[in-house]
Amino acid sequence: MEVIMNKITELTCIRCPIGCQITVTQDETGKVIDIKGNSCPNGYKYAGNEVVNPTRIVTSTVRVEGGELPVVSVKTAGDIPKGRMMDCMREIDKANVKAPVAIGDVIISNCLGLGVNIVATRNVDATL
């Protein structure tokens, strides 16, 4: 008789400050069959995605030419695959912008062809 084992993954949710301890059970095909321990729907969604297709928001800075600050903070406008984070960081590292920069300005469009823009998260005025 063949024994089929479910895979159990325990993780800490990173979607809010609560940090729920979540247990995800997958069947032998990798399909999520149970999620326990989340306090909200965001935790449920995060846990299910994390074991099948983990994604992250990337935050960094980009150099600013002629600005009151030398850099502007940026982030991905949406999640990207976790395995592409370092590729994304290399693209961000190559970028620079001219002041002024406004919150929400697209700094890199469609980064890595993933359909996610890199956007400014603060204002940087031009120097006088």
Side-chain angles (χ1 to χ4, degrees):
M1 176 179 197
E2 181 179 342
V3 176
I4 298 175
M5 299 292 291
N6 291 333
K7 178 181 178 186
I8 297 174
T9 304
E10 294 182 0
L11 48 94
T12 302
C13 182
I14 61 172
R15 288 295 176 185
C16 80
I18 295 173
C20 294
Q21 299 302 304
I22 302 176
T23 302
V24 181
T25 305
Q26 295 170 273
D27 67 15
E28 67 280 356
T29 68
K31 179 181 175 189
V32 174
I33 57 174
D34 191 35
I35 299 174
K36 291 181 181 171
N38 57 294
S39 296
C40 70
N42 288 331
Y44 186 90
K45 182 178 177 185
Y46 164 76
N49 288 339
E50 184 65 12
V51 297
V52 177
N53 181 28
T55 60
R56 296 290 185 272
I57 296 286
V58 174
T59 61
S60 188
T61 57
V62 169
R63 289 178 293 284
V64 177
E65 295 176 24
E68 64 181 359
L69 299 171
V71 295
V72 62
S73 57
V74 298
K75 71 172 198 147
T76 53
D79 290 351
I80 65 166
K82 184 178 176 182
R84 300 296 308 270
M85 287 177 59
M86 292 310 295
D87 296 333
C88 181
M89 290 297 296
R90 282 189 279 278
E91 287 300 305
I92 292 170
D93 191 47
K94 293 178 200 175
N96 61 56
V97 294
K98 292 187 180 191
V101 180
I103 293 172
D105 282 357
V106 175
I107 306 301
I108 302 172
S109 181
N110 191 21
C111 187
L112 303 170
L114 297 172
V116 176
N117 294 333
I118 307 299
V119 297
T121 59
R122 74 165 296 157
N123 297 321
V124 177
D125 290 330
T127 56
L128 300 175

